[in-house]
Each structure stands twice: as structure tokens, then as C-alpha cells.
Amino acid sequence: MKPDTLSAVQARRIALAAQGFAAARPAAPGKRELLKTIERLGVVQIDSVNVVSRTHYLPAFSRLGAYPRPLLEELAWAKTRPLFEYWAHEASLLPLAAQPLLRWRMQDARDGVGVWKGIARFLRERRDFVDRVLDEIRDRGPISASELEMGHKGEGGWWGWSEAKRAVEGLFWAGELTTATRRGTFERVYGLPEKVIPRKILDLPTPPRDEAQRQLLKTAARAMGLATERDLRDYFRLPVADAKARVAELVEAGHLVPVRVKGWREPAYLDPAARKPRRVEAHALLSPFDNLIWFRERTERMFGVRFRIEIYTPAEKRQHGYYVLPFLEGDALTARVDLKADRKASALLVQAAHAEPWATPDTPARLGAELKLMAAWLGLERVQVQPRGDLAPALAAAL
């Protein structure tokens, strides 16, 4: 029996609905709505760049609107919390229920499997030093790497890290430490898992590697609605061979439904419970690290937009700007804006604004309204548009 065939538009709307963009924003989003959004996504990427806002705050803003930002800090780093940090997509926040599903990755870090060889070697060869670090944290409680007056200070190694930083990060990846909180300029404070993660989670049995990966892929499928094998694998950065085998197993069990999408080269897989809306009326600015667009290959296939982060591109070679957020209008990406929060001037700066070929006459006004909402959410008084990009004049006029 041949797989069903979907149009590219149907596929895009299924994906947007799965990501939470097909529902109206709540009038007053609170903790319940915020947690539900994170659980829907399954994972939220963390990044230290703070040009506009640190990225983990933005996916919920894109879907819910102006929620109270301290609520995310409470969910992530309060004494009693429903989220934890680990290396999932990249550095990420995840629901606590996912912790047992990532223990195989922690074991890989201890064993030096794949990309973890250097970490395992350091933890093994410097075990006396590593144990001293653990003893220090047991004695003193949660502590940052900068507070550990131990080992050599930044003599090469991982990005010039000190030995203490290498030790706590290695222990974090191996699951022997976790994030107790964040402080100051977003510095990670390390704590013992048994002091941070609820005992009821730590006492859950560790599922076999294959079962844990199947559960992660099911989470990814629910969050994406419809995806290729590469899309599914990327969501939690699973090993290639493992993902291929697990996807086949999920298809066999009926948890993924093979489909074809017109214009897609690779086969796709549908979550059996995925919604298939006829319309999507979203208006949202998207973090460069938003789950919807973080896999650039999928973004281009789904929306016809080639999107790249140009932070590390020399200024004279950038096409769209330093920190660019695409604008979702309906079911299309219709514009992109290079934003900066100028906190001293209390302004959200639009340093460049570019239209996509399918921008509409309503795009400037709709984008302007979303920029005003974001500025107010960030505690800024106004939006200021600089004259760079083909959309800048119309956007300035709309504002």
C-alpha cells in the first residue's frame, strides 16, 4: 500500500500546529501555559547570546505572547522545579520526565563513545582531581566553576577552560553533576543531582538505550507533527545508525506513519495524532534557535527560506544582520529583522528589515505590531527602525 501524499502547504500547517502556532494566544499566559508549551516542544535550547533576549525565553513568547519572564526562571531554576538542564539538542531545558531517557547519553560521556572521547579521557586520567571537585561541591553546596580555586587556570584545552571548568562540565555531561541554578551573567552553578533533581525522578528505572531513543523520537514526532528521518534525528541529536533503526521500529509499531510530501526528496513520517489544520493565522518573531527553524535544512525545505546565523560572519559579509529573527505570518516566513535591545536607550532597534518574496501588503503592519509587543515585553519604551533593508521604509511607516 502506497503512503499517502501531502502537499507542501499541508505539511507546513501540520508542523506549525504541532509546534503550537495554530492556537490563539491566551489573554494572560501564566505558569500553566508556559509549562504546557515547553512540554509540547519537549526541549528548549539554551544559548548565552543576549543581544535581544537569551533564546530560551523566546520560544514561549513566540507562541504565548507577553508572558512574565520570571516564570521561566522559576520553572527552570527554583528549588522545586519541573525542568532540568542537560545536553539534548544543544544545551537545553527539558521536562524532568525526560531525565531517565538521556541516561544512555550520560553513560556514553563516561565511556567516551563518539564525540565524548575527550571528556571521558579527562574524567578518567584526572579522576583524583575530579573527585576533589566533587568533594568540594558536597562540602560547600552548589558552586560555579569560577568559585573553584583548584587546578590550572585556562591553559588551552576546551576553549581555554580552566581545569576546574573542564571537570565540572565533564561531570555535567556524565550526569554526575547538574545545574542547580544560574546567576549573574547566566553563569551555571553546579550541584549534585540528588540535591537538585527530585528523588522520584532519580529512582525511576533506567530504560534500555533503544527504548529511551524510541521515546525521544516519539517526543520529537509529536513536536514536529511531520518530519523526515534526519529531522527526527536532529531534534535530540541521536546517532545516525541508532535513529535509523529506531524510526524503522516505530513505523513497524504504528507510532509513525510513512507519508510523501510533494517537493520533498526524502520520505516523511507523520505523528498519528498530528492535527491537520486548514489555516494557520500565526504572527510571531522566531529566535534563531527556535525549535521550528533550528534545523536549517528543514527550514529551507518547509518554508523555502535559506536561513543562517551570521553572528560569526565578518560584518561586511553579512547579508541580513548580526542577530536575525524570521517573522512568521500565517503559515509562511515573510520577513526577517536584525534586532538589538538597546537597554540604555530603552529601544528595540531594528537594524535591518528584509522581506521574503511572499511578503504581503499587510506584512509591515503585522510585523510592527509584533515588534511593539516584544519591546513592551522586554521593558523597552519604543521600536526604532534603521534604514537598512528593503522592508525598512514600509516597516518604519507602519510603526
Side-chain angles (χ1 to χ4, degrees), residues 43-56:
V43 56
V44 174
Q45 185 173 337
I46 297 171
D47 191 85
S48 61
V49 176
N50 196 25
V51 178
V52 178
S53 168
R54 288 196 171 90
T55 189
H56 49 283

Side-chain angles (χ1 to χ4, degrees), residues 52 58 285-288 323-327 335-339 374:
V52 178
L58 290 170
L285 288 160
L286 301 173
S287 159
Y323 196 77
V324 175
L325 282 72
F327 178 56
R336 59 183 93 189
V337 284
D338 179 21
L339 298 184
M374 174 176 278

